[in-house]
Amino acid sequence: EAAVTQSPRNKVAVTGGKVTLSCNQTNNHNNMYWYRQDTGHGLRLIHYSYGAGSTEKGDIPDGYKASRPSQENFSLILELATPSQTSVYFCASGNYEQYFGPGTRLTVL
Amino acid sequence: QQQVRQSPQSLTVWEGETAILNCSYEDSTFDYFPWYHQFPGESPALLIAIRPVSNKKEDGRFTIFFNKREKKFSLHIADSQPGDSATYFCAAKNNNNAPRFGAGTKLSVKP
């Protein structure tokens, strides 16, 4: 079974600060994804990647950057965090079936 | 652009009833239609999925009905149990793009 881990699991950040969310998968999937989940909006795609060195913009990329330095790792970077980015963030891997990580709860004060 | 529409937003059924969750899509190139469930405090997980070569997929109490002509698919949960209470997401995907998720249906099963 695919294993996707995320760190940190919880994060409190200050407005204007830099936040990096990390994701690691051990199933050798080419595709990885970052979503945010807010009540009433379901899962919204922020960035995704087809493999090491590639990143693609999803539906709501503004205010976020992504980095895929290796097959296993995919990071989401908030250069200047804002309170509107308070949310639960899920990383996922897989081509068709999505294997989700446990999520990171981010609060920006 | 919402390519996958899901309804209802919330649904309450009694234990033993059949819950019906609906989705529709726009892109005819989609070729994989999964349903995920998410329990409170947990991450989404695949429940059941169908490819358009079939119009029905069963797994125990869970059945997907697929209508390619109308671009609709639904999840039927037979003999609903309180433990089925969760949020259910439909999705659609093709080989070239990221999956598109519906907005979710919060299902409550009353004992």
Side-chain angles (χ1 to χ4, degrees):
Chain A
E1 186 174 344
V4 181
T5 57
Q6 295 182 231
S7 63
R9 294 293 311 279
N10 291 280
K11 173 75 176 179
V12 178
V14 296
T15 297
K18 182 177 180 178
V19 177
T20 300
L21 307 182
S22 299
C23 178
N24 177 277
Q25 56 105 358
T26 60
N27 221 42
N28 200 34
H29 288 145
N30 289 329
N31 298 352
M32 297 186 73
Y33 308 85
W34 276 106
Y35 300 91
R36 63 177 284 177
Q37 185 173 37
D38 305 284
T39 302
H41 289 280
L43 294 159
R44 293 187 289 175
L45 182 66
I46 306 170
H47 284 286
Y48 59 104
S49 169
Y50 291 124
S54 98
T55 60
E56 305 287 338
K57 293 181 179 179
D59 297 324
I60 53 165
D62 292 347
Y64 302 94
K65 291 184 179 180
S67 174
R68 183 85 182 272
S70 66
Q71 181 80 338
E72 297 79 18
N73 296 294
F74 189 36
S75 297
L76 186 68
I77 303 146
L78 291 67
E79 295 278 4
L80 295 170
T82 68
S84 65
Q85 294 176 313
T86 293
S87 186
V88 178
Y89 291 84
F90 287 103
C91 174
S93 73
N95 185 18
Y96 278 93
E97 178 179 352
Q98 300 271 286
Y99 295 87
F100 287 86
T104 294
R105 183 173 297 276
L106 174 65
T107 302
V108 182
L109 302 175
Chain B
Q1 181 182 1
Q2 188 173 2
Q3 296 189 30
V4 177
R5 299 182 188 276
Q6 185 171 352
S7 64
Q9 187 173 10
S10 64
L11 177 65
T12 300
V13 299
W14 294 101
E15 183 175 356
E17 293 184 332
T18 296
I20 300 175
L21 291 65
N22 300 298
C23 277
S24 63
Y25 63 97
E26 299 170 4
D27 189 339
S28 58
T29 68
F30 289 143
D31 61 358
Y32 177 73
F33 302 90
W35 285 88
Y36 292 82
H37 57 179
Q38 182 180 27
F39 297 99
E42 298 185 8
S43 52
L46 180 70
L47 176 63
I48 187 172
I50 193 169
R51 297 223 181 229
V53 293
S54 302
N55 55 21
K56 182 180 177 181
K57 177 77 176 290
E58 289 182 88
D59 185 356
R61 296 184 295 109
F62 302 93
T63 302
I64 299 178
F65 291 94
F66 182 78
N67 186 322
K68 186 174 182 178
R69 182 179 61 84
E70 295 187 6
K71 295 183 181 176
K72 294 181 178 179
F73 58 110
S74 61
L75 176 68
H76 292 223
I77 305 174
D79 188 24
S80 295
Q81 301 296 309
D84 295 330
S85 297
T87 299
Y88 291 78
F89 294 98
C90 64
K93 193 184 185 305
N94 60 30
N95 194 42
N96 298 320
N97 296 295
R100 319 306 305 178
F101 281 88
T105 296
K106 186 174 183 180
L107 174 66
S108 296
V109 182
K110 292 185 177 292

